Amino acid sequence: MADRRAYHHGNLREALVEATVALIEEKGPLAFTLAEAARQAGVSAAAPYRHFKGRDELLEEVARQGFDEFADRLAAAFADGRPNPLAAFMRVGEAYLAFARERPGHYMAMFEGGLSIAGNVELTRTSNRARQVLLDAAEQLSARLPPEARPPARMMADHIFALAHGVVELFLRGRPGGRSPIPASEMLESGVLIYLRGLGLIDG
């Protein structure tokens, strides 16, 4: 249980976020209540209403913080395409998996909490920042082809995003090797390489 002193130090909002992350990791993003978050944070059931209108708003804050860190990690991994776009692209995939593995509560809030990202200005902003990294990477990778032969960057970004999310859902969670003897990182890397070869973006 979170330390009750967090409330007295003026950190109630963050204490509730941390409590919610723990509950999501334990129960999933749809199975906790605001009262449980308050109890986990060591405060009264009425205390969360000082910062959040309800459970969904608290879940949105967890997702917002997650998207912010997620975008930072992807941007740092891409590093403007250095030393080359393909290497940078593969680092982005590794960063995606690392975030899902190290921040499962945030990841589930972001992608499995049933939130309307389009209906929330802050969620839209932070999720778009992460998406922009994939768009930039796709554009740099396809720059070697003539303009008329380049696949749409948005399509590429969506396909890679879907591939990474599928690897997380199917192969990253649970006991290692439970569903596949191949590590999730290798599963994602091989899938991305096959996809890029199919588009004619890499040789081999």
Side-chain angles (χ1 to χ4, degrees):
M1 178 177 290
D3 195 331
R4 286 179 179 270
R5 290 175 297 176
Y7 169 73
H8 297 297
H9 290 166
N11 296 324
L12 175 59
R13 183 182 181 88
E14 193 56 34
L16 288 167
V17 169
E18 292 175 3
T20 300
V21 169
L23 286 169
I24 292 172
E25 292 177 2
E26 177 186 352
K27 300 183 173 187
L30 303 177
F32 75 94
T33 66
L34 196 61
E36 286 178 310
R39 186 163 56 249
Q40 180 90 354
V43 298
S44 71
Y49 293 98
R50 300 181 185 185
H51 295 282
F52 303 100
K53 294 178 181 178
R55 176 192 174 283
D56 285 350
E57 193 168 280
L58 179 53
L59 185 62
E60 286 174 353
E61 177 60 16
V62 174
R64 185 198 65 77
Q65 291 187 14
F67 274 120
D68 256 347
E69 181 179 344
F70 185 57
D72 287 343
R73 288 194 184 204
L74 296 190
F78 187 58
D80 295 325
R82 295 188 299 266
N84 63 70
L86 179 58
F89 201 82
M90 302 309 293
R91 286 199 307 270
V92 169
E94 293 170 3
Y96 189 111
L97 295 185
F99 178 85
R101 182 173 55 250
E102 296 165 13
R103 296 285 190 269
H106 289 88
Y107 187 89
M108 285 187 278
M110 291 155 59
F111 298 117
E112 301 167 23
L115 299 175
S116 173
I117 293 177
N120 184 298
V121 173
E122 281 301 300
L123 285 182
T124 298
R125 178 188 64 80
T126 52
S127 64
N128 282 348
R129 194 159 65 88
R131 180 181 174 81
Q132 188 61 49
V133 177
L134 289 174
L135 285 170
D136 291 343
E139 288 174 352
Q140 287 201 30
L141 269 175
S142 61
R144 63 187 290 269
L145 298 178
E148 66 277 6
R150 294 173 190 169
R154 187 173 300 277
M155 178 196 75
M156 286 181 60
D158 287 345
H159 285 171
I160 296 300
F161 183 86
L163 180 58
H165 188 68
V167 168
V168 169
E169 294 298 318
L170 294 174
F171 303 108
L172 188 65
R173 294 181 179 173
R175 180 174 58 84
R179 295 192 179 184
S180 172
I182 303 173
S185 58
E186 293 182 18
M187 185 77 70
L188 179 59
E189 179 179 351
S190 62
V192 170
L193 290 175
I194 290 169
Y195 175 72
L196 295 178
R197 287 192 186 100
L199 292 176
L201 295 176
I202 59 175
D203 299 325

